[in-house]
Amino acid sequence: MVAKNRKQTGKSPATQADRDKSPLVSPPGKSNIRRPGREGKAFTGSHPNGLSGIRHKLGLTPSAVVKLGITLLLAALTGYLHWYHLSQLFENDRHFSHLSNLEKEMAFRTEMGLYYSYYKTIIEAPSFLDGLHMVMNDRLTEYPLVINTLKRFNLYPEVVLASWYRMYTGVMGYFGIPTKMCWSINRGEGLTPVDSCEGMGDPAYFYVACVFLLNGVMMSLFFIYGAYLSGSRLGGIVTTMCFFFNHGESTRVMWTPPLRESFAYPFLVLQMLLLTYILRTRNPSRTAMVALGISNLCFMLPWQFAQFVLLTQVASLFASYILGYLGAAKMQSILVTHMITLGVCFILMFGNSMLLTSFYASSLVSIWAIVALRDRFAQVFRPGIVIWVMQVMAWVGSTVLLKFMLSTVLGASDDAHISGLIKSKFTSYKDFHTLMYTCAAEFDFMELETPLRYLKTLLLPINMLVVALIAVRTIQDVVRFLRDGGKASGRSDDTVCEPVTLQLVYHSLQLVAFAVLAILIMRLKLFLTPHMCIMASLICSKQLFGWIGERFKHQIVVFAVMAVMAVQGVANLQAQWAIIGEFSNLPQEELLDWIQDNTRTDSVFAGAMPTMASVKLSTGRPIVNHPHYEDTGLRSRTKLVYSMYSRMSGETVKRNLMKLGVDFFVLEDSWCTRRTRPGCSMPEIWDVEDPQNVGKIPLCTHMSRNSRPHFTTVFSNDIYKVLKVPKVTKDLR
């Protein structure tokens, strides 16, 4: 237990529940047609600038306004509940409110600490522009290189949050309003007391609160999404219940707030909601397409992995087009929107080559060309299966060819590890970088326990039923199409099939794509599970389940299903609520304090990637490697650093560190001995790259016993040992 003594009083500003309202759901109402003889009194008694004026512009009847208001109210409620749920889980797990500034920073491990360090840089700079210049000319992250971290690390969330924080504290300071409370925390066990602050004026508190508020808004969008897709507010309730009941499989934002997905995924939900609206609308407006592009951009900017998700989206849309559910004109409009978004993102990312050399970019061009040449395909191939197969082959072949041509021309190889990772899933291929991924559980194949957990909450059975019904209808359409000789009689090019059917086909294909990703890489179940929750809303759809009977009987069945889901779902929530912990990492705290007090500010450090992120964040010392593994140069640097955990000679490793200009190496015994499964300890990973030394004792084992003659131990505790690279080695570099 810790004692909490008040140190500084002040009024902490109340955290507001999210009140964002989405204008996307506007149920159709009756048109305002004037009756004969009442032309002169059409607007009598209603002011055009009031609520009635808004209602008139939206074309809503009073009953439609009430229904829309109830929908938005329920959406806001679910958003508030999710925000509160995330905040409580995070606080229960870390006891974040009682941590010192250093402990809060240490709680952001691995790449989380790296991202947070740039937020810290901007808010501590003399001005916002100074901070922005520092992160765009960073000299600490990959010493001795100077890099533009906005180009490399998708840091726009930190830039935005830092600007908000500076504005917030500036305004509050101007009016003399306290923004935080600070306390003296007695940690016991002979440890010195630390200061801890709560309130939006605390940088870490502000950062985490904004992340959780954003994900509260995401849950509001989820409710609207489920309600819109199913055509029933009950569908929105089913979606949110499924999300809460499968919360541990749906998100990890409550444990890892600074990760890129925490900022990006809410915008994917918005983007897919807008896409659903566009697919359902016969002639979507330019405003809808612009909104789709903006949400697309907000999804891509914060996360380097967004391109792979969007690749599955355009592939699902292309499949819908091939089957005749999506018209050519609408398909091309969506593709052009994606292309424009990609171009804007490329500019805002200062020419990040991974965007243009991605399979996503090549796929957009390939599909656009295939759709544009649809008449040529129709002339060469007979309508039906043959033309479908040829279009798919043309898409795959041209996408792969264009991707590798662009990579060659632009000299880009940053995403080469992705190809190796995919290759390792289907063959026995493995190398150092591939094993660094696949030895981590989250990058391995999906574990069997995951579908079993889906089964217990009925999420999997419901999705299988929904997809089966959609598949049956799709197969019937395809058979009918082939029986008619490939003729869609009476249908225009842009409305080959009914729009509602189109959205169901697309969502089913998207679910299959997400399922494939999740099976190959377990971490990606964070896309699959939420989409399964969206698909579960379709049990409320009259189009799919109208055969159950009248509305009341249908609702009784839905409530019965939710009651069964709640048995395991509530147990899952109780298990989450039972997680009570308190963050403490005294060995790392000792390490960081020692570095701060005993090394020069320009001393260069190397070591395990997660630890280096903490060293940069909390001490401001230059580092040569870090956890953002998506750069070919960084992967090469990390491989040299990790030679300390190989079976090479000490002299070889010393020369590797000399090449990088390292002054101190942080050695961790756990990285030498930890073995997640056979073949996955660091020495075993190195055996793949360094077969000539197989069987020798790892160098890290020698170093943990005695670092001489190659290095000098200058700090040591139970976990960490700091090895000083000899001066003569540094002078030779």
Side-chain angles (χ1 to χ4, degrees), residues 205-281:
Y205 193 98
F206 182 92
Y207 185 98
V208 170
C210 287
V211 174
F212 292 156
L213 283 171
L214 176 62
N215 282 267
V217 175
M218 182 205 71
M219 186 54 65
S220 297
L221 289 173
F222 250 92
F223 176 86
I224 296 173
Y225 196 170
Y228 185 69
L229 183 64
S230 64
S232 166
R233 281 190 295 273
L234 187 58
I237 295 174
V238 170
T239 295
T240 53
M241 285 186 64
C242 287
F243 195 97
F244 276 104
F245 290 162
N246 298 273
H247 200 266
E249 309 296 322
S250 301
T251 182
R252 54 179 183 170
V253 64
M254 59 282 189
W255 316 129
T256 57
L259 287 186
R260 302 300 82 186
E261 66 206 46
S262 302
F263 295 99
Y265 188 74
F267 292 102
L268 176 63
V269 177
L270 175 61
Q271 191 259 11
M272 293 184 70
L273 173 58
L274 287 166
L275 180 62
T276 303
Y277 167 79
I278 290 170
L279 295 179
R280 179 178 290 187
T281 307

Side-chain angles (χ1 to χ4, degrees), residues 396-417:
V396 173
S398 59
T399 297
V400 173
L401 180 63
L402 184 58
K403 185 261 187 294
F404 286 105
M405 283 178 57
L406 288 172
S407 297
T408 302
V409 171
L410 298 177
S413 58
D414 290 342
D415 59 351
H417 63 300

Side-chain angles (χ1 to χ4, degrees), residues 285-300:
S285 64
R286 181 176 297 179
T287 302
M289 302 306 294
V290 170
L292 178 68
I294 293 174
S295 60
N296 221 15
L297 181 65
C298 292
F299 173 54
M300 291 182 66

